[in-house]
């Protein structure tokens, strides 16, 4: 993925949710539609406070179903538009997201994930990984999914998400969690006025005599046509897979055991690495930043060097399936996680690593 | 309006609006949808607002409206036209936006979006085709189906105690302060079509004022769903639909 050097403001202390919202205003957001839900209501609150005195449009919708369909309408009209919610609300949006993917509209959906299933808990979770990266709604489609691990990334990824969404005419998602949304950290925000709008020839802005009418639709009743649309989508996803994979490597140079974790879990793993190295265990971390497209190739490369992989997630083991696919049986792939709003500690991840090492040497004997 | 005089001196008294495409309509013979399409496009033509008008047609028989109307259009998910139209109008406040929805769409699955769109007083026109049935999916009961009415999912007639009462959503919406103009029209006679056209024209003109939502219910028919000939449906409308859904203005703007 392209890295752009934007001009940035002085550092300030901000909550993840607010940094994301402020960053969106600076990204020249045209419109935000959303519905309150913990732990992300600050996003809507921030927009309701700031947008009327700055620029753009904001509307508290009657539901997440309405929000995502307002996003559809505004995106179809060529606007830079977003919504945000947390898990139950994002479930309600799935039909609309599927329509947006099929109609090939750019937009940003933020999911500040909380523990589920059901109404669950307002505590942080990564339980919506499958929903985010495998499509989520009906039909064959993907979102571009970015997973921030810091408040800084909560803010920066707004720009990345819109840039990618607009380039590929595809919905993008920032998959965060309740802790990243609520925590305060230092952030250097990208300054306003550096993110020009594109002119979308396909947008429904009113048909002048000089062009054919524009139609935003996901309906192609002839199966031959609908299959064609599917081929187009798949070709686009192949291009995204090829060009937009992003990940971070932490202390992997000499590592013989590889942790794989995204978002908050990756931060926990960084601490685990420190603790492990004090004990002489050479741990490293692959942190997928784009969850879709998934960094399959780099994981594949490490399958030749590493003794085993341990995937650390705040769910029952979701990303571990994609890691196992990448490793393709070459090395063992283990999972360690907590669920329902619980966060694994660096120490318990280390204990898991040590247990696996002990088990492996026992098996050798 | 003055009629156009051709080069050969003949006066054109009737023609297809330029904003209707040449695509053959897929509607069943005698269906009211095509008449309402035409009325809408005649008004867009006469007001000269093709370049400023965006239509929203959700799932239902009229989901293909964009094949016939030569304007920019969006197809919406079932029930969500109010929300989609809101999204468009909020980012393009100077454009004319209308939704075109069936009774299942507007008054069942999309009731929440409908009420809140009108309650916010979105400056759009909502056209509501009440044919008392789900046409597209094959004649199932709609929220507006009449008491005792036989449909595919009420084969013994709509039992209101079990299946609920015919929903007069138009009267309900007229209560909302966000509603500027609320009227019930029909297309069962040429005269009714003329009245509908007046209401449509007024609604587009009101849109310029930014004073609230215009809502037009069109009591229409469904020959296939009702299992009647088109001519029979016109009579059935008069005898059965109008007593429940009387024609006329329900709320008119006070300026
Ligand atoms: C979420 C969803 N549920 C159900 C359907 C199936 N469906 C398509 S059209 C329709 C009813 C349409 O009836 P109405 O809105 O009255 O319009 P009409 O076809 O009569 O013009 C239904 C139930 C759908 N497309 N999407």
């Amino acid at each position: 993925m392209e890295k752009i050097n934007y001009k940035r403001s002085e550092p300030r202390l901000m909550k993840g949710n607010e940094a994301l919202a402020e960053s969106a205003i600076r990204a020249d957001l045209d419109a935000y539609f959303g519905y309150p839900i913990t732990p992300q209501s600050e996003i809507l609150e921030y927009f309701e406070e700031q947008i009327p005195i700055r620029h753009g449009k904001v509307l508290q919708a009657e539901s997440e179903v309405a929000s995502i369909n307002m996003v559809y309408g505004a995106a179809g009209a060529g606007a830079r538009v977003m919504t945000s919610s947390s898990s139950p609300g994002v479930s309600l949006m799935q039909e609309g997201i599927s329509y947006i993917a099929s109609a090939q509209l750019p937009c940003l959906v933020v999911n500040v994930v909380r523990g589920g299933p059901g109404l669950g808990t307002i505590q942080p979770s990564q339980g919506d990984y499958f929903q985010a990266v495998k499509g989520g709604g009906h039909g064959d489609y993907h979102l571009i999914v970015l997973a921030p691990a810091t408040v800084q990334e909560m803010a920066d990824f707004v720009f990345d998400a819109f840039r990618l969404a607009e380039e590929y005419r595809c919905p993008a998602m920032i998959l965060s969690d309740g802790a990243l949304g609520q925590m305060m950290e230092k952030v250097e925000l990208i300054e306003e006025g550096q993110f020009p709008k594109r002119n979308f020839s396909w947008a429904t802005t009113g048909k002048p005599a000089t062009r054919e009418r524009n139609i935003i639709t996901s309906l192609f009743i002839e199966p031959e046509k609908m299959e064609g649309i599917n081929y187009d989508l798949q070709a686009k996803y192949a291009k995204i897979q090829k060009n937009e994979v992003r990940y971070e490597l932490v202390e992997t140079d000499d590592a013989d055991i590889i942790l794989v974790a995204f978002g908050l879990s990756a931060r926990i793993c960084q601490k685990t690495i420190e603790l492990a190295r004090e004990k002489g265990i050479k741990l490293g971390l692959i942190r997928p930043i784009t969850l879709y497209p998934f960094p399959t190739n780099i994981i594949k490369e490490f399958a030749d060097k590493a003794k085993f992989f341990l995937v650390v997630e705040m769910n029952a083991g979701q990303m571990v399936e994609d890691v196992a696919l990448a490793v393709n049986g070459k090395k063992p792939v283990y999972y360690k996680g907590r669920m329902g709003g619980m966060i694994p500690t660096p120490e318990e991840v280390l204990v898991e690593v040590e247990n696996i090492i002990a088990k492996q040497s026992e098996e050798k004997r | 309006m003055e009629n156009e005089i051709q080069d050969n001196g003949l006066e054109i008294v009737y023609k297809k609006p330029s904003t209707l495409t040449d695509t053959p309509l897929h509607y069943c013979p005698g269906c009211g949808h095509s008449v309402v399409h035409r009325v809408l496009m005649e008004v867009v033509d006469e007001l000269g607002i093709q370049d400023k008008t965006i239509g929203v047609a959700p799932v239902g028989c009229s989901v293909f409206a964009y094949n016939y109307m030569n304007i920019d259009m969006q197809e919406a998910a079932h029930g969500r036209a109010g929300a989609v139209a809101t999204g468009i109008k909020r980012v393009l406040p100077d454009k004319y936006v209308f939704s075109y929805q069936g009774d299942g769409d507007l008054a069942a699955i999309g009731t929440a979006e409908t009420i809140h769109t009108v309650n916010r007083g979105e400056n759009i026109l909502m056209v509501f085709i009440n044919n008392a049935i789900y046409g597209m999916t094959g004649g199932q009961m709609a929220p507006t189906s009449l008491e005792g009415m036989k449909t595919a999912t009420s084969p013994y007639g709509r039992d209101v105690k079990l299946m609920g009462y015919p929903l007069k959503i138009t009267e309900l919406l007229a209560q909302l302060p966000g509603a500027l103009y609320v009227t019930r029209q029909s297309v069962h006679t040429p005269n009714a079509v003329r009245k509908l056209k007046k209401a449509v024209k007024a609604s587009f003109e009101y849109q310029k004022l930014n004073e609230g939502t215009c809502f037009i219910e069109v009591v229409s028919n469904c020959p296939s769903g009702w299992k009647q000939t088109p001519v029979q449906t016109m009579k059935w409308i008069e005898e059965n639909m109008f007593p429940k859904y009387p024609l006329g203005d329900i709320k008119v703007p006070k300026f």
Side-chain angles (χ1 to χ4, degrees):
Chain A
M1 202 200 292
E2 200 182 342
K3 191 107 184 101
I4 298 169
N5 285 322
Y6 292 110
K7 194 162 178 286
R8 290 172 185 273
S9 305
E10 288 299 298
R12 60 200 263 205
L13 203 59
M14 274 186 113
K15 243 186 180 187
N17 286 335
E18 290 173 353
L20 181 141
E22 174 59 32
S23 189
I25 294 174
R26 292 167 179 231
D28 203 10
L29 183 75
D30 288 314
Y32 171 90
F33 304 98
Y35 187 82
I37 183 171
T38 310
Q40 65 79 55
S41 297
E42 296 85 3
I43 298 177
L44 171 60
E45 290 168 8
Y46 194 89
F47 284 133
E48 289 285 5
E49 186 188 281
Q50 290 295 317
I51 284 180
I53 55 174
R54 289 165 73 183
H55 49 85
K57 300 278 158 60
V58 54
L59 179 60
Q60 178 172 336
E62 61 271 28
S63 70
E64 291 85 351
V65 176
S67 306
I68 195 69
N69 284 284
M70 290 170 183
V71 167
Y72 176 100
R80 187 171 281 165
V81 56
M82 68 177 281
T83 183
S84 66
S85 187
S86 180
S87 311
V90 177
S91 291
L92 269 184
M93 291 184 190
Q94 291 304 324
E95 183 199 27
I97 295 174
S98 171
Y99 273 67
I100 288 170
S102 184
Q104 309 206 50
L105 301 176
C107 70
L108 168 60
V109 179
V110 178
N111 186 355
V112 183
V113 182
R114 55 191 255 178
L119 192 53
T121 164
I122 58 174
Q123 299 306 319
S125 162
Q126 297 180 327
D128 298 355
Y129 175 89
F130 278 152
Q131 186 195 56
V133 306
K134 305 298 179 191
H138 57 287
D140 283 312
Y141 73 91
H142 287 285
L143 309 151
I144 294 173
V145 185
L146 298 168
T150 59
V151 170
Q152 184 68 54
E153 287 184 343
M154 287 282 277
D156 288 354
F157 286 3
V158 172
F159 282 71
D160 293 313
F162 274 121
R163 190 166 44 76
L164 293 168
E166 290 169 9
E167 182 163 339
Y168 291 96
R169 285 190 63 182
C170 159
M173 176 175 275
I174 293 180
L175 190 75
S176 174
D177 67 64
L180 287 169
Q182 296 298 322
M183 71 168 63
M184 287 187 93
E185 279 185 329
K186 193 185 81 170
V187 52
E188 289 172 26
L189 292 166
I190 297 170
E191 284 194 359
E192 226 162 301
Q194 303 179 80
F195 194 34
K197 299 250 166 70
R198 294 174 190 236
N199 202 359
F200 296 126
S201 58
W202 44 261
T204 57
T205 50
K207 179 206 167 314
T210 47
R211 67 155 164 84
E212 291 293 299
R213 68 190 187 282
N214 283 336
I215 297 165
I216 303 297
T217 185
S218 65
L219 173 67
F220 304 92
I221 201 89
E222 300 93 347
E224 295 81 2
K225 243 189 184 166
M226 195 65 229
E227 190 183 40
I229 297 290
N230 270 276
Y231 277 126
D232 289 351
L233 288 175
Q234 293 306 318
K236 171 161 84 180
Y237 300 142
K239 205 164 145 197
I240 291 170
Q241 295 256 20
K242 186 163 161 269
N243 297 333
E244 306 303 343
V245 169
R246 206 165 135 188
Y247 56 83
E248 185 191 10
L249 300 179
V250 182
E251 308 222 19
T252 48
D253 284 351
D254 63 340
D256 50 18
I257 298 166
I258 297 292
L259 301 175
V260 188
F262 69 94
L264 195 66
S265 299
R267 291 181 69 153
I268 291 155
C269 287
Q270 295 207 5
K271 185 73 193 164
T272 305
I273 291 171
E274 275 175 39
L275 299 174
R277 285 184 175 264
E278 280 166 19
K279 292 185 164 185
I281 305 170
K282 285 183 189 153
L283 269 187
L285 168 71
I286 301 175
R287 173 171 80 98
I289 293 172
T290 51
L291 302 182
Y292 188 91
F294 192 68
T296 304
N297 288 341
I298 189 72
I299 294 172
K300 209 181 264 172
E301 277 174 34
F302 275 92
D304 292 326
K305 308 179 215 165
K307 286 192 186 128
F308 65 86
F309 293 82
L310 177 64
V311 183
V312 181
E313 309 180 67
M314 286 145 55
N315 57 40
Q318 299 189 18
M319 187 174 71
V320 64
E321 293 191 3
D322 290 328
V323 175
L325 267 176
V327 173
N328 199 18
K330 272 194 179 165
K331 294 290 162 59
V333 177
Y334 299 95
Y335 148 82
K336 169 68 189 171
R338 299 290 298 268
M339 293 170 284
M342 295 299 288
I343 303 174
T345 64
E347 291 77 12
E348 70 183 297
V349 176
L350 182 57
V351 168
E352 188 69 20
V353 171
E354 288 172 326
N355 286 346
I356 297 168
I357 294 171
K359 208 178 86 191
Q360 285 204 334
S361 56
E362 213 168 276
E363 277 165 5
K364 275 204 195 111
R365 260 189 267 132
Chain B
M1 211 176 67
E2 298 251 322
N3 286 323
E4 202 180 309
I5 311 286
Q6 280 183 315
D7 291 345
N8 57 11
L10 295 177
E11 185 182 344
I12 298 177
V13 293
Y14 193 73
K15 65 170 183 184
K16 187 169 75 69
S18 70
T19 43
L20 271 187
T21 66
D22 291 329
T23 311
L25 293 156
H26 74 282
Y27 298 111
C28 306
C31 172
H33 272 309
S34 11
V35 183
V36 185
H37 283 20
R38 188 192 161 100
V39 167
L40 276 163
M41 290 306 102
E42 280 181 1
V43 171
V44 168
D45 257 19
E46 285 169 24
L47 296 177
I49 54 172
Q50 180 188 29
D51 59 339
K52 296 185 195 72
T53 305
I54 298 123
V56 180
V59 177
C61 282
S62 50
V63 70
F64 285 118
Y66 55 69
N67 284 339
Y68 315 123
M69 302 184 186
N70 191 17
I71 54 171
D72 281 359
M73 286 199 78
Q74 294 197 18
E75 181 260 326
H78 194 24
R80 316 304 167 208
V84 171
T86 297
I88 300 170
K89 186 75 183 194
R90 291 287 173 130
V91 298
L92 299 175
D94 300 329
K95 300 289 160 87
Y96 297 88
V97 177
F98 71 88
S99 73
Y100 185 103
Q101 308 175 246
D103 41 58
D105 191 87
L106 182 138
I109 193 168
T111 311
E113 282 79 4
T114 302
I115 289 182
H116 286 282
T117 301
V118 178
N119 193 49
R120 287 189 301 267
E122 297 293 340
N123 289 296
I124 61 168
L125 162 64
M126 300 178 87
V127 180
F128 165 41
I129 309 297
N130 177 6
N131 58 9
I133 208 155
Y134 285 15
M136 189 189 215
T137 38
Q140 295 85 6
M141 186 180 74
T144 47
S145 295
L146 298 172
E147 184 170 357
M149 190 169 158
K150 286 192 175 139
T151 71
T153 50
S154 58
Y156 307 107
R158 182 177 192 166
D159 178 347
V160 293
K161 287 272 187 270
L162 291 174
M163 304 167 179
Y165 295 84
L167 180 55
K168 296 176 75 163
I169 193 148
T170 305
E171 276 79 355
L172 213 135
L173 294 170
Q175 307 299 311
L176 303 175
L180 177 69
Y181 174 48
V182 180
T183 187
R184 184 183 283 119
Q185 302 293 331
S186 84
V187 285
H188 73 302
T189 63
N191 200 26
V193 175
R194 274 192 286 275
K195 283 190 187 153
L196 170 66
K197 187 169 168 183
K198 261 181 80 181
V200 170
K201 203 166 203 173
S203 299
F204 273 105
E205 297 202 308
Y206 289 145
Q207 228 179 103
K208 281 186 261 184
L209 306 175
N210 275 347
E211 291 290 338
T213 312
C214 293
F215 189 92
I216 304 177
E217 173 177 338
V218 183
V219 177
S220 192
N221 63 344
C222 181
S224 301
W226 295 358
K227 300 190 179 12
Q228 295 176 20
T229 66
V231 176
Q232 282 169 338
T233 62
M234 304 303 163
K235 191 148 177 277
W236 200 85
I237 282 181
E238 283 183 350
E239 287 170 1
N240 299 279
M241 294 287 277
F242 291 159
K244 187 79 203 170
Y245 304 111
L247 299 187
D249 290 342
I250 298 167
K251 185 175 189 177
V252 287
K254 289 185 211 87
F255 295 117

